[in-house]
Amino acid sequence: MSWPACALAVSVGLGLFHAATAPALNWAFDVSTPVIQTGDRPKFETVFEYTSPVGTAHAPAIQMQPDGFAVFWFDGLRESHNEVIIKTADFTRNDAGGWDAAPAKKLFNKEQLAAVTHPPQKILTLGNTIQQGTTDNTFLATIVSVGGWAAASIAQVQMQGDDPAEVRKLSLSPFLNRSHLVRAPTVPYADGSVAIPAYLELGNALGDFVRVDDAGFVRDKRRMTHGRFAIQPMVVPFDADNAVALMRNFDDDTDRLIATWTKDGGRHWSAPELLDLPNPNAPVAAVSLGPQTLVMAYNETPSILHLAVSQDQGRTWDTVHTLEQGGGDVRYPAMALLPDGDVLLTYSTGSKKSIKAVVFNAAWVVQP
């Protein structure tokens, strides 16, 4: 038996052993109470603007850090080019209470990942990358080793210092473990594990809610859509049991945002519904500002990005601000709630050429 075949057999065997001996999953979401001060003075600050020196900067995501945060994205000549790398910029507090960005730098490239991937495989290009959880220096990267995005896989990247130390694909698909991608943040559970809001672009595009444990083993997978072409689920919990998933509409016959809800911690999801909001085949980003309240960045058109608020767990929405309009496509927002209650939002601008990040507070969201 060849070395790759042996490595694969060992990996499968360890996975089966782990699944048989691991404790039962806890299905209670870990929801911390946000520190929201709506009585403060409205605050809105642009903290980062970056343009790729070679062509494309796109799909920014957020990494929470002990003393701040980082924004990271894929950067290269064009999307899916074989020289795409993942870049990052770290942010720390300044004396005025705002945020300072360090110069952009490489987080990792495909050669670094391929060198420590188990079982070994060639990686052709990199795509959407997110942080796994909020504490460990672990990422989930979309990798392509054959074909294009429809044959992509999700790889867990464990960093040691500034370098990848170990990479392995998550086992999500029976079809050669391909065709799954990731975009939105992972969802924390009370037992310390997370769920990955993954999605499948092959055939009947759909969302999968994937439970993984601390060791990176896939423990459970639940289908999130039933008969709708809905991908890139943005999952926001409200309490231990309830959450909404806001999903990009991948169906050419409709142009509205899709939502589905769970009442049992993600074990089951309701039939998807079309919301009264446009969706030009674009992902959204959202965070919870309380047990009923959501704030969301969404596209009206590819070149118009709005901020909207829901007071009923995502069923109805009021658009409160226009963030971008008339400067080329504005796409792929990512959002996080900072420890002080401020909201961090980042997105690509200039038709995938640039990255922008802004920080605002709840008072700015609700101001007239």
Side-chain angles (χ1 to χ4, degrees):
M1 183 181 293
S2 65
W3 158 243
C6 288
L8 178 61
V10 171
S11 177
V12 171
L14 289 174
L16 292 173
F17 175 78
H18 184 85
T21 58
L25 289 172
N26 181 330
W27 287 92
F29 294 122
D30 180 15
V31 180
S32 58
T33 303
V35 182
I36 304 298
Q37 303 291 338
T38 56
D40 290 346
R41 295 180 57 185
K43 176 176 65 177
F44 181 96
E45 178 187 10
T46 298
V47 298
F48 188 58
E49 291 184 279
Y50 165 91
T51 298
S52 171
V54 295
T56 295
H58 188 46
I62 297 166
Q63 179 193 22
M64 301 307 296
Q65 298 177 337
D67 57 351
F69 61 87
V71 172
F72 55 97
W73 62 94
F74 69 74
D75 198 302
L77 185 64
R78 61 180 181 276
E79 184 175 345
S80 75
H81 190 267
N82 60 8
E83 294 302 323
V84 162
I85 68 173
I86 305 300
K87 278 192 172 182
T88 184
D90 295 325
F91 292 76
T92 54
R93 285 282 193 188
N94 56 37
D95 293 339
W99 294 96
D100 288 333
K105 62 181 182 180
K106 179 186 71 176
L107 181 60
F108 50 73
N109 59 28
K110 63 185 179 66
E111 288 82 10
Q112 288 177 292
L113 298 195
V116 292
T117 296
H118 304 287
Q121 66 175 276
K122 184 178 181 179
I123 298 175
L124 301 178
T125 192
L126 304 176
N128 302 339
T129 299
I130 64 169
Q131 182 183 19
Q132 180 175 327
T134 59
T135 55
D136 295 332
N137 201 17
T138 306
F139 297 87
L140 297 170
T142 301
I143 63 172
V144 175
S145 53
V146 62
W149 295 133
S153 304
I154 300 174
Q156 184 186 59
V157 182
Q158 182 67 51
M159 302 291 289
Q160 186 171 20
D162 293 331
D163 298 307
E166 183 179 9
V167 177
R168 66 183 188 85
K169 291 198 305 181
L170 300 183
S171 298
L172 300 179
S173 171
F175 182 65
L176 301 178
N177 194 23
R178 302 190 187 281
S179 301
H180 274 87
L181 300 88
V182 67
R183 167 56 197 163
T186 56
V187 183
Y189 277 85
D191 63 357
S193 67
V194 299
I196 302 169
Y199 61 99
L200 188 73
E201 282 196 7
L202 185 65
N204 185 15
L206 53 87
D208 276 327
F209 196 63
V210 182
R211 293 294 305 273
V212 293
D213 61 19
D214 290 342
F217 286 95
V218 175
R219 298 287 311 282
D220 194 282
K221 186 173 71 170
R222 303 293 171 118
R223 184 67 48 83
M224 301 182 70
T225 50
H226 312 270
R228 288 272 184 204
F229 289 86
I231 64 171
Q232 295 179 329
M234 175 74 225
V235 178
V236 186
F238 300 101
D239 53 41
D241 300 312
N242 293 277
V244 62
L246 302 162
M247 304 185 73
R248 171 180 174 179
N249 195 329
F250 210 55
D251 188 350
D252 293 336
D253 294 333
T254 59
D255 60 354
R256 286 190 288 162
L257 190 64
I258 294 173
T260 177
W261 289 264
T262 180
K263 296 181 179 180
D264 56 7
R267 284 190 285 266
H268 303 91
W269 294 87
S270 66
E273 299 179 19
L274 292 172
L275 300 181
D276 190 22
L277 284 176
N279 184 249
N281 196 359
V284 302
V287 294
S288 171
L289 296 184
Q292 298 286 328
T293 305
L294 283 170
V295 58
M296 174 180 67
Y298 78 95
N299 282 94
E300 177 183 342
T301 71
S303 62
I304 300 177
L305 187 69
H306 292 307
L307 197 71
V309 173
S310 172
Q311 303 289 353
D312 55 7
Q313 297 190 349
R315 288 172 173 82
T316 61
W317 294 85
D318 293 315
T319 299
V320 293
H321 292 285
T322 297
L323 297 163
E324 301 282 347
Q325 184 172 2
D329 285 0
V330 187
R331 304 274 287 180
Y332 274 57
M335 192 181 291
L337 195 65
L338 300 176
D340 61 0
D342 285 351
V343 177
L344 167 64
L345 170 65
T346 182
Y347 47 89
S348 67
T349 63
S351 300
K352 302 183 182 181
K353 294 182 176 65
S354 305
I355 300 297
K356 188 173 184 178
V358 300
V359 174
F360 52 86
N361 62 1
W364 181 82
V365 173
V366 300
Q367 72 174 357

